[in-house]
Amino acid sequence: EPSQQQIFVEGDNVLFYVPEHQQVIKTRLGVELDSQVPVRLLAGSGHLDRDFNIRWRNEAKQQGPDGAYLLTLISKTPTPDFAEIQIEVAPKDFLIRKISLQEPGGNGSTFEFSQMKINHGLKDRLFTFAIPEGVVVVEQP
């Protein structure tokens, strides 16, 4: 089964919680690994045009069956952590619905987003992650 991971961005910190490992990895936004590119893209700290060459996944078929724009991002700076990133962008609101990272060795990670609602007046405390009891916190420099 794929490993489940929860990602929380709190100010300048990023918390990666993997329940099956009973561990939280805490790092600073901007110094996280290249494999965490989706976090940077969603947090607004990634710069697509500066960091990537962007192309249609398939020039002949630029949209998926549900109308999503299908794009491939290739890093302008070679990285050992991923070969390419594929994203699906909703046609009506241009929100990223799916991010897939393809690693050079053949492994991959997929982040899917659904039932997104923008600016619905939610309280900040809803997004504060309470670390469960017994979970080990590893702070990265």
Side-chain angles (χ1 to χ4, degrees):
E1 295 252 350
S3 178
Q4 298 294 316
Q5 181 179 53
Q6 297 175 9
I7 303 170
F8 300 87
V9 179
E10 295 179 347
D12 289 338
N13 293 311
V14 181
L15 304 168
F16 301 96
Y17 174 47
V18 182
E20 69 185 85
H21 296 159
Q22 291 292 293
Q23 184 179 61
V24 170
I25 298 173
K26 184 177 180 180
T27 187
R28 306 264 312 152
L29 187 63
V31 298
E32 72 277 2
L33 302 173
D34 283 337
S35 62
Q36 300 304 333
V37 167
V39 174
R40 288 202 314 267
L41 293 175
L42 296 171
S45 62
H47 300 278
L48 293 179
D49 58 343
R50 182 190 72 202
D51 299 335
F52 299 97
N53 292 313
I54 304 167
R55 63 178 170 81
W56 296 109
R57 196 176 309 165
N58 179 338
E59 193 65 41
K61 189 171 190 235
Q62 299 173 354
Q63 290 180 277
D66 60 355
Y69 295 109
L70 307 173
L71 301 169
T72 298
L73 286 64
I74 306 292
S75 179
K76 290 182 179 180
T77 306
T79 173
D81 295 317
F82 61 88
E84 69 179 29
I85 301 170
Q86 295 181 348
I87 62 173
E88 294 184 15
V89 180
K92 290 184 181 179
D93 52 21
F94 299 105
L95 293 175
I96 295 174
R97 293 198 307 212
K98 187 175 185 180
I99 300 173
S100 296
L101 285 133
Q102 303 302 315
E103 298 174 13
N107 290 330
S109 299
T110 300
F111 302 81
E112 293 186 58
F113 310 97
S114 62
Q115 300 178 16
M116 293 184 285
K117 297 178 182 164
I118 306 300
N119 297 329
H120 279 266
L122 302 174
K123 303 283 186 208
D124 287 345
R125 71 178 185 276
L126 180 64
F127 299 98
T128 302
F129 176 56
I131 297 172
E133 191 174 318
V135 170
V136 175
V137 177
V138 177
E139 295 210 29
Q140 293 186 332

